[in-house]
Amino acid sequence: MKTIYITIALMIVSILSLKAQDANTKATAGIKGGYNVSSVSFDGNSETEKLHGYHIGIYGESYIGKYFAIQPEILYSKQGYKIIDNSGTYTQKLDYLNIPLMLKLYPVKSFFLEAGPQIGFSISHKETFDSGFILYDTSKEFEPSNFDWGINLGTGFKSDAGVSLGVRYHIGQSDIYNEDKPKNRVWQIYLGFDF
């Protein structure tokens, strides 16, 4: 748990220091949030039904050249998945504190491509089972791993006023559980606003 707090503190200090830098470096900070469509891939072969959620957080962006920028973020993200079969619908909701570090390429003004690693810390989870007759908390709980990591790919637009609109895909690389090698898959659509 100490690792989580230290990582969060370092990220916040980094983002605030980006904002405090000289204006000539084109460093900004802001808030962002949006819509999640998440699922889980089992054994790399099959994927579960989608679960809808959201994410919200803060970011800092600092240019490292004319066309490149680095953007660290801290995001609270509601993810999870559904499995639907003849017996009913099993749903697991997974809440994460995600910390992406994105490298952004601006090939033309206002348009960017982004890619980078992400680590995540599981905050909470909840399972439910709906048999079609009654909705209740299931007694069968799957305890997810506390740590997640993966790769993000995305694209978007950023206006001169500092408003961003983008889409991002997270490809989880670590197993959520010990069995069947389940990995997170998350589509995100987001809006960002520079301070």
Side-chain angles (χ1 to χ4, degrees):
M1 203 59 159
K2 283 184 180 180
T3 305
I4 294 173
Y5 294 133
I6 291 170
T7 304
I8 292 169
L10 288 174
M11 291 295 292
I12 290 172
V13 168
S14 298
I15 289 171
L16 292 176
S17 69
L18 287 176
K19 185 63 178 170
Q21 289 179 10
D22 183 62
N24 293 332
T25 64
K26 294 185 181 178
T28 60
I31 59 170
K32 66 178 291 189
Y35 175 65
N36 287 353
V37 179
S38 60
S39 61
V40 166
S41 171
F42 284 96
D43 291 321
N45 299 321
S46 62
E47 197 165 301
T48 64
E49 297 292 324
K50 312 288 190 229
L51 193 67
H52 305 279
Y54 65 88
H55 63 278
I56 189 167
I58 59 174
Y59 64 87
E61 182 179 21
S62 181
Y63 281 80
I64 55 174
K66 187 175 179 182
Y67 302 106
F68 292 95
I70 292 178
Q71 181 166 303
E73 303 174 359
I74 301 174
L75 303 173
Y76 170 74
S77 183
K78 292 191 76 66
Q79 300 169 199
Y81 64 94
K82 288 183 181 181
I83 297 176
I84 301 173
D85 60 21
N86 293 335
S87 61
T89 301
Y90 172 80
T91 303
Q92 183 170 61
K93 296 179 180 179
L94 301 163
D95 294 349
Y96 283 95
L97 181 66
N98 289 327
I99 304 174
L101 178 61
M102 306 303 292
L103 175 64
K104 299 174 76 173
L105 166 66
Y106 285 88
V108 295
K109 185 179 179 182
S110 299
F111 173 73
F112 62 85
L113 301 169
E114 61 179 2
Q118 172 179 293
I119 59 172
F121 302 96
S122 176
I123 299 171
S124 66
H125 65 96
K126 182 178 180 183
E127 297 83 9
T128 58
F129 181 76
D130 183 358
S131 65
F133 297 102
I134 187 168
L135 178 66
Y136 58 90
D137 291 343
T138 178
S139 59
K140 184 176 182 181
E141 286 197 12
F142 294 95
E143 187 71 32
S145 171
N146 292 329
F147 182 76
D148 184 49
W149 73 276
I151 304 297
N152 293 332
L153 304 170
T155 186
F157 297 91
K158 185 170 184 177
S159 73
D160 292 337
V163 178
S164 301
L165 173 64
V167 62
R168 183 182 291 176
Y169 185 56
H170 172 70
I171 307 165
Q173 297 297 307
S174 65
D175 297 344
I176 301 173
Y177 313 113
N178 294 328
E179 297 177 9
D180 300 324
K181 299 183 179 177
K183 294 175 174 58
N184 282 312
R185 300 288 187 260
V186 186
W187 282 100
Q188 296 181 328
I189 300 171
Y190 63 85
L191 275 173
F193 302 93
D194 288 356
F195 294 140

